[in-house]
Amino acid sequence: MNRTFFLVSALAAGLTLSSCETANQDFSGVDTRQSLKGLVVDGRVAGGTVWVDSDDDLEIDSTEPYATTDSQGYYGYNPNTKTQYCELSASEIGYEHCLVYGNSIGALTIRIKGGTDLGTGEKLKGLMAMFSSISESSSLGDDGQMLVLSPLTTLLSGIVDQQDLDAMKAVLGIDSVDDLSLDFSTADSDKTKKLLANAVAVQTMMDVILSATDSTASDSELQIKILKKITDSIISTGKAPLDFDTATIKDLVAEVSTDPDQQDIVSERVTKLNSLNKKIATAPTPEAAYAQIKASEVISKLVKLEADGTPAQKAAALKILGAVDGEDIANLSLELAAKLLQSDTPSEGDEFEFDITSITNSLVALGEAAGDEDWDITDLDTVVEQSKLATGTQWGGSWFVVRATAEDSDELTVGSYLAVRLEGAADATSGQLAMCANTSLADSTDPDETFENEYFGGSWSKLNGGMVILNLTYNGQNLEGRMKAKVATTDQGQPLYRLETDIDGVTENGDMVLDVNGVSALENVSKPTSSLDCLNNVKPVIPAWSDIA
């Protein structure tokens, strides 16, 4: 069942993220803490949780400090706004980006999980890491440069032998210490495009190969196995990830899958993806590089469904991707990249304006509808247009009342809604948020799947004109979400919004209808601060959906 009211399914699964009350020091007995500063790049990663993994167990423990990256991918300090996040008070917006650690321990591993890749608008794949020191991570270069945490530093973080480390850097194109502070997400030179292409290749390999697993080990453990094998393969072959051949990639798949057929199919698909990602390194402009990244992201999502989807999804993905030894993937990538580049006209510094998941879902629907016939690639025009985000959306100072679409409404009790208030001026890019949830599943008797006037606090950050990050708090727990305003509407002309959330590695998402009458009714209602406010001030003024649907 597609539970588009993402909070119902996500919260019913149980929130497992750590509370924000984590101590910000290493408990050496002396408060000698320093602010750690950095930039996270895959594309840039906003809203991710970055932490000092002092015991190297891949988890955020109660004594390990953590922070979130800001809307530009920075933590500790933003050189563009000149903001020292750790100089803010704990009650100020922005303090959540402060990462501090005691300097009694010199070396440290900084990791990140979650967050949104600004290159695609999608959730960051897996974990990334960087081995550093207090002095390296707390200092800034003459022009405000700081260390960059990326898929490439993730590979470097697992190497102990200096000779192997030097060999790895040479293969990846890391020629000096300065390159470790290079923001290659700019894709504005041959060097940055090469580094970006290899970073995308590493994340794509790890993500797609992980979808093929038949192992009972945790995703984190399997990611480490895959990354170690990638590292060993680079050192032994002298080839960068982009240049891995099918045999090398098949060895990677064998780390997580014992199925020979799965090994063959996935390794062939990843080899094709590598050939697509090579185009990032040779793209004539940054815009062309990111159009290719988005096209590759769609195809990698289809490959994952082919490996680990439902029978219907597997068949549909195969229909779209074509035979393993065919050229359908190359043709699809070419068409997609051209359309995304042609249509991609960002404003206000936007880095993307398409919902990649919507493109993927629409292609799967086309594959399913085609049956025994070939699907029509000219349908891509409609697919891309319907995935476009409404970049003129006013987020700050606005209410959003969203309900299930007509196709999903039977799954919920009549009248279910989420009412979200984003505080701030009309042109604000961040602020506090509040949400009142009145939702329950129509076929459930589980009280844990019913929310009556439940209150959620938190904050929001604008990523582009059509998308915001939602950092929600509920009963002392945190969850990360995204809200995207779509250009497409329902058949009745009702605005569509896409909501997504990430809980314990599981992403819930779906399209929802904006209740414009509900928004109008709440125009003069202040931001709620409790469940009592949701009951007394929000619920009574929202019109009954059955009266206006």
Side-chain angles (χ1 to χ4, degrees):
M1 178 167 57
N2 177 22
R3 298 179 179 179
T4 56
F5 264 67
F6 70 107
L7 284 173
V8 173
S9 53
L11 291 172
L15 293 168
T16 58
L17 297 182
S18 301
S19 166
C20 287
E21 301 302 317
T22 304
N24 287 319
Q25 58 177 309
D26 63 357
F27 296 96
S28 60
V30 179
D31 187 358
T32 54
R33 299 177 295 171
Q34 294 189 46
S35 168
L36 306 184
K37 308 170 182 70
L39 171 65
V40 182
V41 169
D42 183 18
R44 290 195 179 193
V45 178
T49 302
V50 60
W51 81 99
V52 178
D53 192 4
S54 57
D55 58 1
D56 206 33
D57 68 348
L58 312 179
E59 300 293 340
I60 305 175
D61 300 321
S62 60
T63 59
E64 293 175 339
Y66 70 91
T68 59
T69 54
D70 67 15
S71 61
Q72 297 177 8
Y74 292 101
Y75 61 90
Y77 174 70
N78 186 314
N80 298 320
T81 61
K82 309 299 182 186
T83 305
Q84 293 276 6
Y85 290 120
C86 292
E87 293 181 1
L88 302 175
S89 68
S91 61
E92 288 184 271
I93 291 289
Y95 185 74
E96 65 271 19
H97 309 311
C98 166
L99 182 66
V100 294
Y101 199 61
N103 65 5
S104 64
I105 299 177
L108 62 146
T109 298
I110 300 175
R111 299 190 191 277
I112 184 170
K113 65 178 177 180
T116 302
D117 183 334
L118 298 185
T120 62
E122 298 294 303
K123 177 186 175 183
L124 175 68
K125 305 167 184 175
L127 300 175
M128 298 196 305
M130 173 175 66
F131 186 74
S132 180
S133 67
I134 294 289
S135 60
E136 289 174 330
S137 287
S138 62
S139 61
L140 295 172
D142 295 336
D143 298 321
Q145 304 104 317
M146 59 191 73
L147 290 179
V148 172
L149 194 164
S150 75
L152 305 184
T153 62
T154 306
L155 294 177
L156 297 176
S157 68
I159 302 176
V160 177
D161 183 81
Q162 186 62 47
Q163 185 174 347
D164 288 343
L165 188 62
D166 292 341
M168 172 74 77
K169 289 179 179 178
V171 172
L172 294 176
I174 299 173
D175 303 319
S176 67
V177 173
D178 290 341
D179 286 347
L180 295 175
S181 298
L182 183 62
D183 175 14
F184 56 77
S185 71
T186 58
D188 58 0
S189 68
D190 289 344
K191 175 180 278 291
T192 55
K193 285 185 288 188
K194 178 182 177 182
L195 293 173
L196 178 60
N198 273 303
V200 171
V202 170
Q203 289 298 90
T204 300
M205 281 183 199
M206 183 176 66
D207 189 45
V208 172
I209 291 172
L210 188 61
S211 71
T213 185
D214 53 18
S215 171
T216 58
S218 70
D219 283 355
S220 295
E221 292 171 330
L222 294 175
Q223 287 169 25
I224 295 301
K225 284 187 69 175
I226 296 169
L227 286 167
K228 184 179 186 306
K229 190 66 175 180
I230 292 174
T231 300
D232 292 343
S233 298
I234 293 172
I235 294 171
S236 63
T237 66
K239 293 181 178 180
L242 272 178
D243 299 319
F244 282 2
D245 57 25
T246 304
T248 301
I249 296 171
K250 186 175 180 179
D251 287 341
L252 298 179
V253 183
E255 289 290 308
V256 300
S257 174
T258 58
D259 184 342
D261 292 336
Q262 191 83 295
Q263 293 172 14
D264 289 337
I265 294 171
V266 173
S267 60
E268 290 286 355
R269 295 298 199 198
V270 173
T271 301
K272 290 284 176 62
L273 280 165
N274 256 0
S275 68
L276 302 181
N277 289 331
K278 285 182 180 180
K279 296 181 179 181
I280 300 167
T282 58
T285 64
E287 292 78 13
Y290 276 99
Q292 182 58 59
I293 288 172
K294 295 167 192 171
S296 295
E297 177 71 8
V298 171
I299 292 169
S300 71
K301 284 180 175 291
L302 290 170
V303 173
K304 287 172 61 180
L305 286 175
E306 183 186 35
D308 192 37
T310 65
Q313 289 173 332
K314 289 182 177 182
L318 175 58
K319 173 77 68 175
I320 302 299
L321 295 171
V324 171
D325 58 353
E327 295 300 321
D328 291 30
I329 284 181
N331 295 334
L332 176 58
S333 171
L334 189 65
E335 292 286 337
L336 265 176
K339 295 181 189 307
L340 293 171
L341 178 62
Q342 181 181 354
S343 303
D344 198 1
T345 54
S347 59
E348 302 178 8
D350 295 350
E351 295 186 71
F352 57 87
E353 61 169 11
F354 298 96
D355 181 25
I356 299 302
T357 298
S358 289
I359 294 176
T360 307
N361 291 346
S362 295
L363 287 174
V364 170
L366 286 174
E368 291 176 343
D372 295 331
E373 303 295 325
D374 291 335
W375 75 287
D376 188 350
I377 199 168
T378 62
D379 288 336
L380 273 180
D381 289 326
T382 301
V383 167
V384 172
E385 185 62 29
Q386 290 181 343
S387 75
K388 197 172 183 180
L389 300 181
T391 54
T393 302
Q394 177 184 318
W395 297 102
S398 299
W399 275 100
F400 300 86
V401 180
V402 289
R403 302 181 184 264
T405 60
E407 64 182 358
D408 294 321
S409 60
D410 289 345
E411 299 177 3
L412 299 164
T413 55
V414 174
S416 290
Y417 67 81
L418 301 175
V420 184
R421 170 70 182 184
L422 305 184
E423 285 290 271
D427 60 352
T429 58
S430 63
Q432 298 288 345
L433 71 77
M435 180 164 65
C436 296
N438 267 292
T439 70
S440 60
L441 295 172
D443 60 352
S444 175
T445 58
D446 186 348
D448 290 334
E449 292 186 334
T450 297
F451 294 86
E452 294 183 0
N453 303 302
E454 293 286 355
Y455 168 78
F456 296 75
S459 61
W460 66 276
S461 297
K462 178 180 173 181
L463 295 186
N464 77 346
M467 176 180 174
V468 293
I469 287 179
L470 307 177
N471 292 308
L472 298 164
T473 60
Y474 177 74
N475 289 342
Q477 301 284 355
N478 306 323
L479 78 132
E480 170 197 340
R482 290 169 290 280
M483 183 159 64
K484 304 176 183 181
K486 301 184 72 172
V487 170
T489 63
T490 66
D491 292 341
Q492 293 75 36
Q494 298 161 321
L496 285 172
Y497 280 72
R498 186 167 191 82
L499 274 81
E500 305 170 348
T501 192
D502 305 318
I503 292 291
D504 200 23
V506 177
T507 298
E508 298 286 347
N509 62 78
D511 286 346
M512 303 178 73
V513 178
L514 183 72
D515 178 355
V516 294
N517 297 62
V519 170
S520 178
L522 289 172
E523 182 177 1
N524 296 317
V525 176
S526 301
K527 180 176 79 73
T529 59
S530 67
S531 292
L532 195 61
D533 286 345
C534 292
L535 172 64
N536 294 331
N537 301 333
V538 175
K539 184 178 181 180
V541 303
I542 295 179
W545 184 241
S546 58
D547 292 341
I548 60 176

